[in-house]
């Protein structure tokens, strides 16, 4: 699954589930490069469409993901869909434009807290357009439901994001020699609280010196350097950076963990 935008994994797993229930499902997602392509995977038609990237976009305060609106609009306008489910508000905005001339049920899932849109030039404008035409909102947590109510005085149905049980099967906990603390997140994102976690872990080592902190997720070189410079060498030696890895790696990591932690602020999952 090489072309992941934020939230695409959840829409894809929903697509897999719905296709397994006998529905005809199209999954519209992004890809690098100029060429579009379609691919059949199981009972799902995956439509890869381009994002438009240019350095001038940053100076105009336009998010890279927001450039998917033209491609998404075109793909949606070419078909007659009964229901359109979106995880990102730019995609939902494209669907809201199509809904002006094609009947459909539009169900966006909210992926941010307050604000419910990114602080870009077009963020609030796009999200307001979604609010006007959405049939129903899904919130992955009560926290996000309250954010929508507070900012737009609207209700959302709380639908926690599912877990693909084909991957995350139940089983006995794997025994390990040292207690492991696991954090899986976008490690470079400040609001995920990884710096706070590392600082707390250093204090924990005074009481549990054999503990290991495992950090799984993307982290850029600058964030990694800053993270390691904030603690003593002894603490650094007890921290394992696992990288992004594969989805198939996660069940083993969770089974081997003594505890999992995500000290995140403003987290859409609750």
């Amino acid at each position: 699954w090489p072309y992941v935008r934020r939230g695409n994994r959840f829409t894809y797993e929903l697509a897999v589930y719905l296709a397994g229930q006998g529905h005809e499902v199209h999954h519209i997602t992004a890809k690098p490069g100029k060429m579009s392509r379609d691919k059949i995977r199981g009972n799902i038609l995956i439509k890869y469409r381009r994002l438009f990237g240019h350095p001038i976009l940053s100076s105009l305060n336009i998010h890279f993901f927001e450039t998917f609106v033209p491609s998404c609009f075109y793909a949606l306008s070419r078909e007659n869909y009964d229901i359109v489910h979106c995880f990102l508000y730019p995609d939902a905005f494209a669907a809201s434009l199509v809904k002006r001339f094609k009947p459909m049920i539009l169900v966006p899932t909210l992926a941010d807290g307050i604000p419910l849109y990114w602080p870009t030039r077009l963020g609030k404008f796009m999200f307001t357009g979604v609010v006007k035409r959405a049939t129903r909102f899904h919130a992955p947590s009560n926290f996000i439901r309250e954010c929508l109510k507070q900012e737009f005085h609207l209700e959302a149905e709380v639908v926690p994001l599912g877990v693909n049980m084909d991957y995350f099967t139940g089983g006995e906990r794997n025994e390990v020699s040292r207690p492991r603390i696991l954090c899986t997140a976008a490690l470079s994102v400040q609001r995920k609280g990884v710096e706070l976690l590392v600082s707390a872990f250093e204090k924990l080592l005074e009481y549990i010196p054999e503990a290991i902190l495992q950090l799984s997720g993307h982290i850029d070189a600058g964030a990694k350097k800053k993270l390691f410079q904030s603690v003593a060498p002894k603490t650094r030696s007890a921290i394992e950076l696992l990288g992004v890895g594969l989805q198939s790696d996660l069940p083993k990591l969770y089974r081997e963990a003594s505890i999992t932690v995500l000290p995140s602020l403003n987290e859409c999952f609750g």
Side-chain angles (χ1 to χ4, degrees), residues 6-19:
R6 182 179 179 217
N8 271 201
R9 183 171 70 82
F10 300 111
T11 53
Y12 178 70
E13 290 187 353
L14 175 62
V16 171
Y17 172 77
L18 292 173

Side-chain angles (χ1 to χ4, degrees), residues 1-16 26-32 37 39-42 44-49 167 244-248:
W1 193 242
Y3 306 136
V4 172
R5 288 183 304 152
R6 182 179 179 217
N8 271 201
R9 183 171 70 82
F10 300 111
T11 53
Y12 178 70
E13 290 187 353
L14 175 62
V16 171
H26 293 183
H27 187 254
I28 302 171
T29 188
K31 67 176 293 294
R37 68 186 180 96
K39 179 179 180 180
I40 299 290
R41 179 178 292 179
I44 304 170
L45 173 61
I46 304 175
K47 297 186 175 185
Y48 294 101
R49 298 296 182 263
Y167 289 105
V244 176
L246 300 173
Q247 184 174 324
S248 56

Side-chain angles (χ1 to χ4, degrees), residues 167-169 174 246-256:
Y167 289 105
F168 295 92
T169 56
N174 295 347
L246 300 173
Q247 184 174 324
S248 56
D249 298 333
L250 289 174
K252 182 174 181 291
L253 288 175
Y254 280 115
R255 288 194 188 108
E256 291 178 347

Side-chain angles (χ1 to χ4, degrees), residues 5 30-36 49-58 62-74:
R5 288 183 304 152
K31 67 176 293 294
K34 297 180 180 180
M35 298 298 294
S36 298
R49 298 296 182 263
R50 69 173 297 189
L51 287 164
F52 296 87
H54 195 281
I56 197 173
L57 294 175
S58 296
I62 296 175
H63 196 285
F64 183 51
F65 288 172
E66 291 174 337
T67 69
F68 194 56
V69 170
S71 296
C72 190
F73 174 86
Y74 182 75

Side-chain angles (χ1 to χ4, degrees), residues 4 55 74 81 94 100 121 126 129-130 137 158 169 193 199 207 220 245:
V4 172
Y74 182 75
Y81 294 109
R100 298 177 73 172
R121 180 184 294 267
M126 286 187 178
V130 175
F137 282 98
V158 178
T169 56
S199 177
Y207 303 92
D220 58 53

Side-chain angles (χ1 to χ4, degrees), residues 73 92-104 106 125 129 132-133:
F73 174 86
F93 177 69
S96 74
L97 296 178
V98 176
K99 192 179 178 185
R100 298 177 73 172
F101 58 89
K102 282 198 170 192
M104 66 172 65
L106 173 57
F125 169 77
K132 290 178 179 178
R133 300 184 186 95

